[in-house]
Amino acid sequence: MTTATLPRILQIGRLPLPALEAELAAQFNVSCLADQPNPAAFLAAHGAQFSGVVTTASIGLKADVIAALPQLQVISSFGVGFDALDIDAAKARGVQVGYTPGVLNDCVADLAFGLMLDVSRGIAASDRFVRRGEWRQAKFALGTRVSGKRLGIVGMGRIGQAVAERAAGFRMEVGYHNRRPAEGCALSYFESLTALAQWADYLVLTVAGGAGTRHLVNDDVLSALGPNGYLINVARGSVVDEAALIAALAERRIAGAGLDVFADEPNVPDALMALDNVVLTPHTASATHETRRAMADLVLENLQAFYATGAVRVPVPGTAALP
Ligand code: 8YV
């Protein structure tokens, strides 16, 4: 096949693995919307040529772009979250949506523990202390023990389960909150998030983003977590009322936070950056060579499967309805 006869794919923005862009370009006839000097004019002129879209969980896909692609049949998204994708608009058009769950559980759970350890033991802060030469004059402040503490997991899906597995090695007691008890899960279920926060030393967020979980962690939950409690967020910034979190951290109403996700990425509020009881990472929970490669493979496989069989390999639940 020449490039002209390959399926036309619209890549919405830069992909987290540059190799994936090259692999897509070798198998499909790809245009990148973000490279266009005037994306709206490009969509108006060329939107009808595209049968596929590639995007990421962070970039998402809005209803107006879906509407500008009248021949769209398939969306392949890099990521497990689909809160930034207009799933309803895709479903209304019968567009298949593929995503990349499962392959990132371990790395996201690893980073959740990394943040827990760092905010409690001051790993990044003590690294800065050593580099500044301060060790010659002073001792670094004492930290807080993680092992043996109570871990509250919010969202007992695949990633929540991977966090719970790791807790065994730290001899932590584990409780969780979910919309309903997770099937086959022997861990203590808390129907009330506030009750879980009150019980827990560490509240780890692994719940999906979107309207249903917006500001789930509010001032009441943070007050329940209390001055010895830590919040760890590897889910979505939208799950936490960020202004309430900043106030709770600044007033030491909670002990600290480890945050990989923020309300308005990549913009992290100055007020958060000024605090010394918080550890910040730039949405890198899945960002390892191994996991990003596995996610890229699924992005490709979803498209290849769609063009070969009419169905993506791993559909977002509820989007695979075939006539
Ligand atoms: C991705 C994520 O790194 O999978 C998700 O939902 O948030 C992250 O794993 C990110 O979306 C890539 O753009």
mmCIF file with all atom_site columns, all heavy atoms in Angstrom, residues 32-43:
data_model
loop_
_atom_site.group_PDB
_atom_site.id
_atom_site.type_symbol
_atom_site.label_atom_id
_atom_site.label_alt_id
_atom_site.label_comp_id
_atom_site.label_asym_id
_atom_site.label_entity_id
_atom_site.label_seq_id
_atom_site.pdbx_PDB_ins_code
_atom_site.Cartn_x
_atom_site.Cartn_y
_atom_site.Cartn_z
_atom_site.occupancy
_atom_site.B_iso_or_equiv
_atom_site.pdbx_formal_charge
_atom_site.auth_seq_id
_atom_site.auth_comp_id
_atom_site.auth_asym_id
_atom_site.auth_atom_id
_atom_site.pdbx_PDB_model_num
ATOM 1  N N   . CYS A 1 32 ? -0.877  15.368 12.164 1.00 0.00 ? 32 CYS A N   1
ATOM 2  C CA  . CYS A 1 32 ? -0.948  15.784 13.566 1.00 0.00 ? 32 CYS A CA  1
ATOM 3  C C   . CYS A 1 32 ? -1.622  17.155 13.656 1.00 0.00 ? 32 CYS A C   1
ATOM 4  O O   . CYS A 1 32 ? -1.143  18.133 13.083 1.00 0.00 ? 32 CYS A O   1
ATOM 5  C CB  . CYS A 1 32 ? 0.452   15.831 14.181 1.00 0.00 ? 32 CYS A CB  1
ATOM 6  S SG  . CYS A 1 32 ? 0.400   16.292 15.925 1.00 0.00 ? 32 CYS A SG  1
ATOM 7  N N   . LEU A 1 33 ? -2.748  17.180 14.378 1.00 0.00 ? 33 LEU A N   1
ATOM 8  C CA  . LEU A 1 33 ? -3.516  18.427 14.494 1.00 0.00 ? 33 LEU A CA  1
ATOM 9  C C   . LEU A 1 33 ? -2.687  19.528 15.160 1.00 0.00 ? 33 LEU A C   1
ATOM 10 O O   . LEU A 1 33 ? -2.753  20.700 14.756 1.00 0.00 ? 33 LEU A O   1
ATOM 11 C CB  . LEU A 1 33 ? -4.797  18.160 15.293 1.00 0.00 ? 33 LEU A CB  1
ATOM 12 C CG  . LEU A 1 33 ? -5.837  19.272 15.331 1.00 0.00 ? 33 LEU A CG  1
ATOM 13 C CD1 . LEU A 1 33 ? -6.299  19.662 13.926 1.00 0.00 ? 33 LEU A CD1 1
ATOM 14 C CD2 . LEU A 1 33 ? -7.046  18.853 16.179 1.00 0.00 ? 33 LEU A CD2 1
ATOM 15 N N   . ALA A 1 34 ? -1.885  19.149 16.178 1.00 0.00 ? 34 ALA A N   1
ATOM 16 C CA  . ALA A 1 34 ? -1.103  20.155 16.912 1.00 0.00 ? 34 ALA A CA  1
ATOM 17 C C   . ALA A 1 34 ? -0.033  20.800 16.035 1.00 0.00 ? 34 ALA A C   1
ATOM 18 O O   . ALA A 1 34 ? 0.455   21.892 16.346 1.00 0.00 ? 34 ALA A O   1
ATOM 19 C CB  . ALA A 1 34 ? -0.456  19.506 18.137 1.00 0.00 ? 34 ALA A CB  1
ATOM 20 N N   . ASP A 1 35 ? 0.343   20.150 14.938 1.00 0.00 ? 35 ASP A N   1
ATOM 21 C CA  . ASP A 1 35 ? 1.365   20.713 14.035 1.00 0.00 ? 35 ASP A CA  1
ATOM 22 C C   . ASP A 1 35 ? 0.777   21.722 13.068 1.00 0.00 ? 35 ASP A C   1
ATOM 23 O O   . ASP A 1 35 ? 1.513   22.411 12.358 1.00 0.00 ? 35 ASP A O   1
ATOM 24 C CB  . ASP A 1 35 ? 2.023   19.599 13.197 1.00 0.00 ? 35 ASP A CB  1
ATOM 25 C CG  . ASP A 1 35 ? 2.939   18.731 14.023 1.00 0.00 ? 35 ASP A CG  1
ATOM 26 O OD1 . ASP A 1 35 ? 3.276   19.136 15.149 1.00 0.00 ? 35 ASP A OD1 1
ATOM 27 O OD2 . ASP A 1 35 ? 3.297   17.632 13.537 1.00 0.00 ? 35 ASP A OD2 1
ATOM 28 N N   . GLN A 1 36 ? -0.544  21.798 12.992 1.00 0.00 ? 36 GLN A N   1
ATOM 29 C CA  . GLN A 1 36 ? -1.174  22.676 11.999 1.00 0.00 ? 36 GLN A CA  1
ATOM 30 C C   . GLN A 1 36 ? -1.164  24.118 12.509 1.00 0.00 ? 36 GLN A C   1
ATOM 31 O O   . GLN A 1 36 ? -1.500  24.368 13.662 1.00 0.00 ? 36 GLN A O   1
ATOM 32 C CB  . GLN A 1 36 ? -2.625  22.242 11.717 1.00 0.00 ? 36 GLN A CB  1
ATOM 33 C CG  . GLN A 1 36 ? -2.779  20.784 11.343 1.00 0.00 ? 36 GLN A CG  1
ATOM 34 C CD  . GLN A 1 36 ? -1.870  20.361 10.195 1.00 0.00 ? 36 GLN A CD  1
ATOM 35 O OE1 . GLN A 1 36 ? -1.650  21.132 9.253  1.00 0.00 ? 36 GLN A OE1 1
ATOM 36 N NE2 . GLN A 1 36 ? -1.311  19.158 10.281 1.00 0.00 ? 36 GLN A NE2 1
ATOM 37 N N   . PRO A 1 37 ? -0.790  25.063 11.646 1.00 0.00 ? 37 PRO A N   1
ATOM 38 C CA  . PRO A 1 37 ? -0.760  26.464 12.085 1.00 0.00 ? 37 PRO A CA  1
ATOM 39 C C   . PRO A 1 37 ? -2.151  26.945 12.530 1.00 0.00 ? 37 PRO A C   1
ATOM 40 O O   . PRO A 1 37 ? -2.265  27.735 13.455 1.00 0.00 ? 37 PRO A O   1
ATOM 41 C CB  . PRO A 1 37 ? -0.270  27.240 10.858 1.00 0.00 ? 37 PRO A CB  1
ATOM 42 C CG  . PRO A 1 37 ? -0.122  26.256 9.753  1.00 0.00 ? 37 PRO A CG  1
ATOM 43 C CD  . PRO A 1 37 ? -0.312  24.862 10.288 1.00 0.00 ? 37 PRO A CD  1
ATOM 44 N N   . ASN A 1 38 ? -3.197  26.432 11.864 1.00 0.00 ? 38 ASN A N   1
ATOM 45 C CA  . ASN A 1 38 ? -4.552  26.816 12.246 1.00 0.00 ? 38 ASN A CA  1
ATOM 46 C C   . ASN A 1 38 ? -5.398  25.541 12.342 1.00 0.00 ? 38 ASN A C   1
ATOM 47 O O   . ASN A 1 38 ? -6.035  25.122 11.366 1.00 0.00 ? 38 ASN A O   1
ATOM 48 C CB  . ASN A 1 38 ? -5.135  27.786 11.200 1.00 0.00 ? 38 ASN A CB  1
ATOM 49 C CG  . ASN A 1 38 ? -6.503  28.290 11.613 1.00 0.00 ? 38 ASN A CG  1
ATOM 50 O OD1 . ASN A 1 38 ? -7.194  27.660 12.428 1.00 0.00 ? 38 ASN A OD1 1
ATOM 51 N ND2 . ASN A 1 38 ? -6.908  29.420 11.051 1.00 0.00 ? 38 ASN A ND2 1
ATOM 52 N N   . PRO A 1 39 ? -5.411  24.903 13.539 1.00 0.00 ? 39 PRO A N   1
ATOM 53 C CA  . PRO A 1 39 ? -6.094  23.610 13.675 1.00 0.00 ? 39 PRO A CA  1
ATOM 54 C C   . PRO A 1 39 ? -7.567  23.669 13.267 1.00 0.00 ? 39 PRO A C   1
ATOM 55 O O   . PRO A 1 39 ? -8.060  22.736 12.614 1.00 0.00 ? 39 PRO A O   1
ATOM 56 C CB  . PRO A 1 39 ? -5.937  23.282 15.160 1.00 0.00 ? 39 PRO A CB  1
ATOM 57 C CG  . PRO A 1 39 ? -4.723  24.038 15.589 1.00 0.00 ? 39 PRO A CG  1
ATOM 58 C CD  . PRO A 1 39 ? -4.716  25.294 14.780 1.00 0.00 ? 39 PRO A CD  1
ATOM 59 N N   . ALA A 1 40 ? -8.275  24.748 13.607 1.00 0.00 ? 40 ALA A N   1
ATOM 60 C CA  . ALA A 1 40 ? -9.707  24.823 13.272 1.00 0.00 ? 40 ALA A CA  1
ATOM 61 C C   . ALA A 1 40 ? -9.898  24.842 11.754 1.00 0.00 ? 40 ALA A C   1
ATOM 62 O O   . ALA A 1 40 ? -10.763 24.133 11.213 1.00 0.00 ? 40 ALA A O   1
ATOM 63 C CB  . ALA A 1 40 ? -10.333 26.060 13.912 1.00 0.00 ? 40 ALA A CB  1
ATOM 64 N N   . ALA A 1 41 ? -9.066  25.634 11.061 1.00 0.00 ? 41 ALA A N   1
ATOM 65 C CA  . ALA A 1 41 ? -9.169  25.701 9.596  1.00 0.00 ? 41 ALA A CA  1
ATOM 66 C C   . ALA A 1 41 ? -8.792  24.355 8.979  1.00 0.00 ? 41 ALA A C   1
ATOM 67 O O   . ALA A 1 41 ? -9.414  23.907 8.001  1.00 0.00 ? 41 ALA A O   1
ATOM 68 C CB  . ALA A 1 41 ? -8.255  26.813 9.060  1.00 0.00 ? 41 ALA A CB  1
ATOM 69 N N   . PHE A 1 42 ? -7.781  23.683 9.571  1.00 0.00 ? 42 PHE A N   1
ATOM 70 C CA  . PHE A 1 42 ? -7.367  22.365 9.067  1.00 0.00 ? 42 PHE A CA  1
ATOM 71 C C   . PHE A 1 42 ? -8.519  21.372 9.191  1.00 0.00 ? 42 PHE A C   1
ATOM 72 O O   . PHE A 1 42 ? -8.817  20.620 8.247  1.00 0.00 ? 42 PHE A O   1
ATOM 73 C CB  . PHE A 1 42 ? -6.138  21.866 9.852  1.00 0.00 ? 42 PHE A CB  1
ATOM 74 C CG  . PHE A 1 42 ? -5.687  20.493 9.439  1.00 0.00 ? 42 PHE A CG  1
ATOM 75 C CD1 . PHE A 1 42 ? -4.832  20.319 8.356  1.00 0.00 ? 42 PHE A CD1 1
ATOM 76 C CD2 . PHE A 1 42 ? -6.134  19.359 10.117 1.00 0.00 ? 42 PHE A CD2 1
ATOM 77 C CE1 . PHE A 1 42 ? -4.430  19.040 7.952  1.00 0.00 ? 42 PHE A CE1 1
ATOM 78 C CE2 . PHE A 1 42 ? -5.739  18.085 9.725  1.00 0.00 ? 42 PHE A CE2 1
ATOM 79 C CZ  . PHE A 1 42 ? -4.885  17.925 8.638  1.00 0.00 ? 42 PHE A CZ  1
ATOM 80 N N   . LEU A 1 43 ? -9.188  21.394 10.365 1.00 0.00 ? 43 LEU A N   1
ATOM 81 C CA  . LEU A 1 43 ? -10.316 20.467 10.577 1.00 0.00 ? 43 LEU A CA  1
ATOM 82 C C   . LEU A 1 43 ? -11.439 20.746 9.583  1.00 0.00 ? 43 LEU A C   1
ATOM 83 O O   . LEU A 1 43 ? -12.035 19.822 9.025  1.00 0.00 ? 43 LEU A O   1
ATOM 84 C CB  . LEU A 1 43 ? -10.850 20.601 12.008 1.00 0.00 ? 43 LEU A CB  1
ATOM 85 C CG  . LEU A 1 43 ? -10.092 19.848 13.100 1.00 0.00 ? 43 LEU A CG  1
ATOM 86 C CD1 . LEU A 1 43 ? -10.708 20.135 14.462 1.00 0.00 ? 43 LEU A CD1 1
ATOM 87 C CD2 . LEU A 1 43 ? -10.103 18.332 12.830 1.00 0.00 ? 43 LEU A CD2 1
#
